[in-house]
Each structure stands twice: as C-alpha cells, then as structure tokens.
Amino acid sequence: MQTRNNIIDFFKGIAIIAVILYHAGLFTYGYLGVDIFLVVGGYLITKSITRAYQKDGFSYWNYICNRLVRLWPLALVITIVSLAVGYFTMLPDGYKNACETAIGTATFTNNFIQYITAGNYWDTSNDFKPLMHTWYLGVVFQFYVVYPLIFMACYRCSKKFILASTRVLWIVFAGSLAFYILHQDDIALNFYMLPSRLFEFAAGGLVALRSTNGVAVNNSRKYILPWLMGIAIILLFTNASLETKKVRLIFTVILTVLVILYSEKYSTDTIKLNWGGRKFVNVVAFLGMASYSLYLWHQPILAFYRNIIDNDFTVWSYLNTLILSIICGLASYKVLEQFVASYTKGNSKRKRMVLGLSFLTTLLIITFSIKYYRTQGVVRDIPELDVRVDDPKTFAPQEYNARISVLYNKPFPSAKNGKKNVLVVGDSYARDWINVILESKINDINLVYSQNIANDLRQKIAQADIIFVANNATIDQYVDYLPAMMKKRFFRVGHKCFDGGVCGIYNQARLTGDYIQKMPAIVDNINKDERIEYEGMYINLMDSISDSDGKVSLFTKNRKLISHDGLHLTKAGAQEFARRIDIKHLLEE
C-alpha cells in the first residue's frame, strides 16, 4: 500500500488556500495554485502508470474508469447544486451561461466552452459564474486521456521503457513550453487549452520518471540544472517577449519541481517541528488531501454570494464565505469522495454502477441545460426586465443591441438629403450608444454604424459630419484614424461602469422591495484618463445618471433594470440615458 507524501499534501494545501483567496479577491497571484496542481498531477499520474507497468501491466480502460470514478460524481453534484440555486436566483443572461458551463462541467469540456464564451479568465464577470472554474477539470481529464498514450507507445516500441519515456517526455515538455512562450496572439487559447499546459504535467512526470529509474535524489541542484538550461535555450532561440504572467508561471513550475524533489528525499517526520508547527503542517496537509472538493465548492459559494447578497465583501462576508467553503469542501471530501473511493475499491461491478449512474445524470443535466439555453435562460417572470416565462422571446436585450449591426452597418446615402451624417464607431458599447440616440427620437440624421475598424471606415469618416467613438477599451486602436476624425465634430463616449453584480442588486430589490437603492458610481482608469484628454469632446455617461453624492441606481423610476449584465443597456436603460443626455444639443453645430 502506497503511503501519502505529506510534504506534497502540505504544498497542495497551500495551493488550494491561494486559489480560494484569489477567487475571493484577496490574493492577486493565487491563481498560480492551479499550476501547482498540474505539476503535482503529472507527477502522481506518471508514478501510477509506471508502477502499473512494473507490476501487473497497464490497462488504459481501467485507468480511464478510475479517473472518472474519482472526478465525475463530485463534478455532477456541484453542477446540479449550481443549476438548482441559479434557477431561483439568477437573471436570464447569467443562467444561460450557467447552462452552457453545466454541460461543459458534466462532460469535462468546460475549458472549450470558457474559451469560446468568456475568453479572458481575468474578466471580472467570471466572479459571478458558479462553474467557470471547472475549465480546470476539462484540461485535467483531457490530459488523462492523452498522456498514457505516450507510455503505451514507448512500452511497445522500446525495451528500455523508462528511458524511452523520459526522452519522449522531454520532447513533449520542450514543445509545449515553446508553444506557451511563443503563442501570444490568443491569450485565452494559451490559458484554457492542453497544448500550452502540457509542459506543466510533463515537468511533474519527469521527476517521477527520475525516481522510477532508480536515481537517488540526493542533490536537487544536479537535477534542476538541465531544467534551467532547457528553459534558457528555449528563451534564447525564440523571438518572444516574455510577459510577467508567463515568468511567474514558469517560476511556479520550477518551484513545484523542487518541492517534489525535496519531498522524495525527506518527509515531515524527518523535519524537526515543535508541537504547534507540526499541528499546522498536518492541518494544511489535510486541506491538500481534500483540495479537489475544496476547489469545486468554493467558487459556487463565492459566486452565489455575489449574485444573491452583495458584490462588495466586508470582513464578515469574507469570513462567512471562506468558512462555508471549507466546511462544504471538507464535508464533501469525507462524505462523498472517501465514500465513493472505499465503495468502489477493488470492485469493478461497483465502479461500473457509479459510472453508469454518472452517465445517466450527465444526460439529464445536458437535456435540462439545453432546454433552458434555448429559452435564453428564462425560467420565471422578471418584471424588472419585462420578461415573461410563457414567452422567452421577451428577454431580448442582446438582440436589442445586436440588431444595430444589421440595421445600421451600411454606407451613408449617396445623394444629399438635407440630414447630417452621424457615424458611430466601436463594439457593443457603440451599439448601446446608437440605441440611446434612437430612443431620443431624433429623425433628421443619417445614422451609420461601423464595427471597430472596418474596411470602409476611412470612407465613412470622410462622409460623416459628426463622429462618436464608443468601445469597451481604450481608444488606442483608432489612433491611425483619429486625425481624420478630429477634423469633424468628434465625441468620445465614456465607459459604462456599472457594478458587475446586477443579479445581486436585483435579488436584494426583490427581497426588500427597495428599488431606489443606490451605489457609488464606479470610475475606472479609462474614464479618468480620457475625461482629461478629450475635455469638451468627452461624454461622461456615468455623470449623467449620478446624483449629487456621486451615486447611481440600476433601476429606473418605474422599476426597470438599466442593464441586464452590468455591461450593456436594456431598452429601459437606453431610454433612461436618452432622457438624461441632451442628444439634440450634441448634434447641433
């Protein structure tokens, strides 16, 4: 029977604490704890595979079944809980996303779904998604599927199995690391997909192969030297500027490798600790043993706190959510994880039963999620959005925004008609601004939209009398066009800085009946800088809806939400801005 490595468990405990604190907004670099898990995972799986080959032979099917029995049941429990709580508390946009990620979680493909729908992992909107963190399960399970194939091929093709596996794994490590360093155009692809994560698993695997090969780990400096030299060679012979995030990640991988090497040479029993120190190590190591449960439970708890109660955490909020995350995680570890492990241990019939039940549950989750994805996440009447459950099409804020691309992305009239040519340039924020203009009921203009930098943008600029630029970023991408724009009547439309926790504000209004509650207006750096730079040409949207104390409400006087997602305007929101901003005056000479 294999004994647990207490030092690795302790390190995993530190990692899971860091991840939880990161998602709570308390530890800036805590997300690197996931990278520790990936290296440790590669180490443990490699030892498991090589041990199987040296003992009774390796069965790919049994291996996959064991991995599924380990991961699937708890992932499905978290998915069901998230869908159930979200059904009663989330707004349609958020629940539609929950249905997408529920399918991804249940099928271990959420990294693909997050890559397609979310993109930027560091986007604050992810704080409100209860299943966004299960992208990690997708990467891990895809690794479980692909990784053993390396050893199976080496076992069949070479008599020196461990040596051949080590050489191939070095190639995998170098190739994946080069891909990670060189690939800069698509940050989301680098973050969510296995090719740029494989070197982390391979790093742990190489340590495991070293110890399996019978090499004594007496001096970790001798072993880490080829790692540092290999990384240095890749950096020297690649034409890439290594950003800070990548440096931190590579350093974390190296640190984890050193900790594993240290753990193979020593154990906590050989380290002299006083009673208090040993107790602390044991507590953290226990958290490391329960890290899978802790990882899966903490994000739903934090996300639903933000969605139901408040996005602004107090000291008590932090304490309550963190304690609840630990309690749920540890209870899940003892009640579910350990029960399934002991129930299925050495019993293939019980494993098949667990897998069969998990498969059926997955089918139910997929069926349920597809149903409400098709209804745009509408599960109940929402008067604040004019949404009715009997007609899901009544939830159409995205369509309200998107229709602009179809109706107004066109050239100006070829013949003069006595109307001013008004050009609005940008992304979905620009489409929101066009809706504000339309809700102002101004008809004596030729209104045209150009999505970002279109092929005909220069021609439209030349024909325009008035130009508005509105986008969810700095104006830097239009720097080549600004001289031509500035020759016309030009305006920069400021950022809409709503609280991302629209759902929490909505739920509090439902519970208390207080629809006039206000929050401090959020002022981001883009608004601060551009307000100074463009002065009289700058339209400060947040000032238009702020009171004398600098506070704003997300509800109109007739209890309609201004924004459904904290980023874009509902029809009621566009009407509110049109009422508060004198668009006609802006269009005058």
Side-chain angles (χ1 to χ4, degrees):
M1 181 178 177
Q2 295 294 319
T3 58
R4 296 193 67 95
N5 187 319
N6 288 339
I7 293 179
I8 290 181
D9 280 336
F10 176 79
F11 200 43
K12 286 170 62 183
I14 295 294
I16 191 59
I17 292 170
V19 170
I20 294 173
L21 292 179
Y22 170 74
H23 285 142
L26 292 172
F27 189 15
T28 305
Y29 304 120
Y31 65 90
L32 292 169
V34 170
D35 300 287
I36 293 173
F37 292 139
L38 297 183
V39 178
V40 171
Y43 170 77
L44 295 175
I45 288 299
T46 303
K47 288 184 77 71
S48 174
I49 293 173
T50 54
R51 191 183 302 123
Y53 269 115
Q54 292 172 342
K55 203 173 181 182
D56 303 320
F58 177 75
S59 169
Y60 183 76
W61 173 248
N62 287 339
Y63 162 83
I64 293 295
C65 287
N66 289 336
R67 295 297 93 203
L68 283 172
V69 168
R70 166 86 171 90
L71 298 178
W72 216 355
L74 183 54
L76 294 176
V77 169
I78 293 296
T79 303
I80 293 169
V81 169
S82 297
L83 286 175
V85 178
Y87 185 93
F88 296 101
T89 62
M90 297 182 83
L91 289 169
D93 189 65
Y95 198 64
K96 180 183 177 182
N97 177 268
C99 290
E100 292 173 337
T101 52
I103 294 173
T105 303
T107 58
F108 301 104
T109 57
N110 202 26
N111 56 326
F112 289 98
I113 290 176
Q114 286 292 99
Y115 169 68
I116 294 169
T117 62
N120 183 11
Y121 172 76
W122 290 273
D123 193 312
T124 54
S125 64
N126 281 333
D127 292 342
F128 303 89
K129 299 176 182 178
L131 295 173
M132 73 89 183
H133 64 317
T134 60
W135 67 267
Y136 166 76
L137 294 188
V139 172
V140 167
F141 187 72
Q142 289 147 32
F143 162 75
Y144 288 157
V145 171
V146 173
Y147 191 65
L149 302 179
I150 296 173
F151 297 90
M152 292 168 70
C154 290
Y155 188 79
R156 290 193 176 189
C157 298
S158 175
K159 293 181 179 179
K160 297 181 178 180
F161 165 59
I162 299 298
L163 181 60
S165 299
T166 302
R167 288 172 176 173
V168 173
L169 209 55
W170 269 113
I171 295 172
V172 171
F173 172 82
S176 175
L177 179 59
F179 181 87
Y180 175 73
I181 292 172
L182 287 170
H183 197 77
Q184 301 182 66
D185 296 334
D186 195 336
I187 297 174
L189 181 69
N190 233 9
F191 186 89
Y192 287 115
M193 297 303 173
L194 183 61
S196 52
R197 291 287 189 175
L198 200 51
F199 79 94
E200 299 180 76
F201 292 106
L206 287 167
V207 180
L209 288 176
R210 173 184 170 83
S211 60
T212 303
N213 203 23
V215 179
V217 188
N218 293 321
N219 193 337
S220 59
R221 288 178 297 176
K222 291 181 181 179
Y223 185 63
I224 203 63
L225 183 60
W227 287 76
L228 297 176
M229 289 179 62
I231 293 172
I233 290 170
I234 292 172
L235 294 177
L236 288 171
F237 288 93
T238 55
N239 185 23
S241 56
L242 203 60
E243 58 190 38
T244 307
K245 283 182 180 177
K246 291 183 177 180
V247 173
R248 288 196 192 97
L249 189 146
I250 292 172
F251 175 78
T252 301
V253 171
I254 295 173
L255 176 64
T256 307
V257 167
L258 288 173
V259 170
I260 295 173
L261 286 168
Y262 182 85
S263 73
E264 288 195 331
K265 184 178 179 181
Y266 301 102
S267 70
T268 52
D269 293 333
T270 63
I271 304 172
K272 292 182 179 180
L273 295 170
N274 59 32
W275 184 84
R278 183 170 296 280
K279 189 173 182 179
F280 170 76
V281 168
N282 290 338
V283 168
V284 176
F286 181 67
L287 295 179
M289 293 168 62
S291 58
Y292 179 55
S293 284
L294 289 167
Y295 181 81
L296 286 189
W297 276 105
H298 82 278
Q299 176 59 22
I301 289 170
L302 291 169
F304 281 119
Y305 182 90
R306 293 181 171 109
N307 280 316
I308 298 172
I309 300 176
D310 197 353
N311 183 37
D312 293 324
F313 277 53
T314 64
V315 174
W316 286 110
S317 302
Y318 283 121
L319 285 175
N320 290 335
T321 52
L322 294 178
I323 290 172
L324 184 59
S325 297
I326 292 173
I327 291 173
C328 289
L330 295 181
S332 174
Y333 172 68
K334 297 293 289 185
V335 174
L336 183 59
E337 273 197 80
Q338 289 193 326
F339 169 76
V340 171
S342 61
Y343 180 73
T344 59
K345 186 176 181 180
N347 192 319
S348 58
K349 184 178 179 180
R350 288 180 176 179
K351 287 181 182 178
R352 288 195 297 270
M353 187 173 68
V354 169
L355 292 176
L357 183 61
S358 297
F359 179 75
L360 292 175
T361 305
T362 298
L363 290 180
L364 291 174
I365 288 172
I366 291 173
T367 303
F368 179 91
S369 298
I370 289 175
K371 175 184 177 180
Y372 287 107
Y373 177 84
R374 287 177 173 173
T375 64
Q376 302 297 311
V378 176
V379 297
R380 62 184 176 279
D381 292 344
I382 304 177
E384 296 83 357
L385 288 173
D386 290 324
V387 170
R388 298 195 318 274
V389 71
D390 61 350
D391 184 10
K393 291 181 180 178
T394 52
F395 177 67
Q398 291 176 327
E399 177 59 28
Y400 180 68
N401 183 288
R403 82 193 202 288
I404 300 300
S405 297
V406 177
L407 298 177
Y408 293 93
N409 192 9
K410 59 186 180 181
F412 285 109
S414 55
K416 292 187 177 181
N417 56 11
K419 298 180 180 180
K420 292 178 181 178
N421 289 344
V422 177
L423 173 64
V424 181
V425 182
D427 51 22
S428 58
Y429 275 29
R431 297 194 290 272
D432 272 339
W433 179 245
I434 288 177
N435 277 325
V436 173
I437 295 175
L438 293 173
E439 297 297 343
S440 299
K441 310 300 182 185
I442 297 174
N443 299 315
D444 57 341
I445 58 174
N446 299 314
L447 186 57
V448 169
Y449 168 58
S450 183
Q451 185 167 351
N452 293 318
I453 301 175
N455 294 331
D456 59 350
L457 180 55
R458 290 196 184 277
Q459 181 182 353
K460 288 180 177 179
I461 292 172
Q463 295 173 335
D465 298 306
I466 303 169
I467 298 174
F468 296 94
V469 175
N471 63 306
N472 187 16
T474 64
I475 203 170
D476 293 350
Q477 69 182 100
Y478 304 105
V479 66
D480 293 337
Y481 299 85
L482 281 177
M485 290 181 178
M486 291 290 193
K487 293 178 182 178
K488 306 301 176 79
R489 186 167 173 80
F490 172 82
F491 293 97
R492 170 59 168 164
V493 182
H495 261 205
K496 300 187 297 294
C497 304
F498 297 120
D499 191 323
V502 173
C503 189
I505 293 169
Y506 156 73
N507 279 307
Q508 286 301 301
R510 288 170 66 201
L511 293 171
T512 63
D514 180 11
Y515 284 86
I516 60 172
Q517 56 179 314
K518 294 185 177 182
M519 61 184 183
I522 302 169
V523 181
D524 64 6
N525 290 329
I526 295 177
N527 271 344
K528 284 181 180 179
D529 297 340
E530 292 187 348
R531 184 174 187 173
I532 298 171
E533 184 174 356
Y534 293 100
E535 297 182 0
M537 297 176 287
Y538 185 75
I539 302 172
N540 194 314
L541 294 177
M542 300 311 293
D543 273 3
S544 68
I545 60 171
S546 300
D547 61 18
S548 58
D549 296 324
K551 294 184 176 182
V552 300
S553 173
L554 277 178
F555 293 96
T556 64
K557 289 184 178 179
N558 57 347
R559 296 187 173 186
K560 304 299 180 185
L561 276 165
I562 290 176
S563 173
H564 67 287
D565 61 358
L567 296 172
H568 303 99
L569 299 178
T570 60
K571 185 173 183 177
Q575 291 171 343
E576 184 72 11
F577 276 99
R579 185 176 68 83
R580 291 172 177 266
I581 299 174
D582 191 347
I583 303 293
K584 187 174 182 179
H585 176 72
L586 291 174
L587 299 178
E588 292 176 353
E589 293 293 343

